[in-house]
Amino acid sequence: MKISAVALVVAVAALAGSGCGGSETKPSSGEGLPGPVAETRSAILAAAESGEYAPLRDVVDPESFLSDFGFGEESDPVGRWENMGAKPLETMGTLLRMPHAVRQTNEGTVYEWPQFNADSSAGDVSAAERELLLKIMTEDELTNAFLPEYGYTGPHLGILADGDWWSFVSAGAP
């Protein structure tokens, strides 16, 4: 299972960076986001802050959603997260409070939290970002989330420019 989780994280990183003209980093607030992206981000943050998974059902389309469970292969990612306890919601809320990157993918423009990608290293993490990541990861997990050959492989969340919630991968490197 760990191997497939790492493969999935690497695949998402590759998709987010493939055929792209690079990425652009933006601050952690919702300012400057396109309306549909800001709405989806707000809905996910509200669910995270409330501790309730049910509202996420309104913003996730299981048939086109990339998660730890695969791409469109999990009929009920929200149910799976509920079974995992509070950690997935806490991770979503933490990620969405961090700076994001804007990338071009084969699916279109994606707004991705956090801003780290396949070219990132541990040295790219600010003190504030480190503090946030340590709320959802151990020190060892954070260290292992940056691999020389793959860059950032830790938890991340992506929303397409049209507001479709494209991905949430909570698993990190082994």
Side-chain angles (χ1 to χ4, degrees):
M1 184 66 169
K2 279 190 174 185
I3 291 173
S4 61
V6 171
L8 182 61
V9 169
V10 171
V12 170
L15 281 174
S18 66
C20 310
S23 64
E24 182 181 346
T25 300
K26 300 288 183 177
S28 59
S29 73
E31 290 182 34
L33 292 173
V37 175
E39 288 175 24
T40 301
R41 177 183 177 268
S42 292
I44 299 166
L45 274 172
E49 289 167 2
S50 73
E52 296 292 326
Y53 282 96
L56 296 178
R57 293 186 192 287
D58 294 334
V59 292
V60 68
D61 177 0
E63 297 203 8
S64 62
F65 189 73
L66 178 65
S67 72
D68 298 282
F69 319 121
F71 188 75
E73 295 179 21
E74 173 58 49
S75 62
D76 186 17
V78 177
R80 291 276 294 261
W81 297 326
E82 284 177 309
N83 291 336
M84 295 168 69
K87 181 81 171 179
L89 272 179
E90 292 168 359
T91 301
M92 292 172 202
T94 297
L95 295 177
L96 290 172
R97 289 178 179 87
M98 299 178 75
H100 68 275
V102 181
R103 295 185 178 79
Q104 295 301 314
T105 73
N106 58 339
E107 296 293 325
T109 302
V110 67
Y111 293 76
E112 191 170 44
W113 290 264
Q115 66 179 330
F116 310 116
N117 61 35
D119 296 322
S120 298
S121 69
D124 297 328
V125 181
S126 72
E129 290 165 328
R130 179 180 174 73
E131 185 177 324
L132 284 169
L133 287 170
L134 287 173
K135 290 181 179 186
I136 58 171
M137 306 168 95
T138 66
E139 186 71 44
D140 284 343
E141 288 170 333
L142 180 56
T143 298
N144 290 326
F146 290 91
L147 301 174
E149 61 275 16
Y150 300 116
Y152 180 71
T153 62
H156 53 278
L157 187 153
I159 302 172
L160 293 170
D162 64 4
D164 286 346
W165 186 8
W166 186 50
S167 65
F168 172 61
V169 177
S170 62

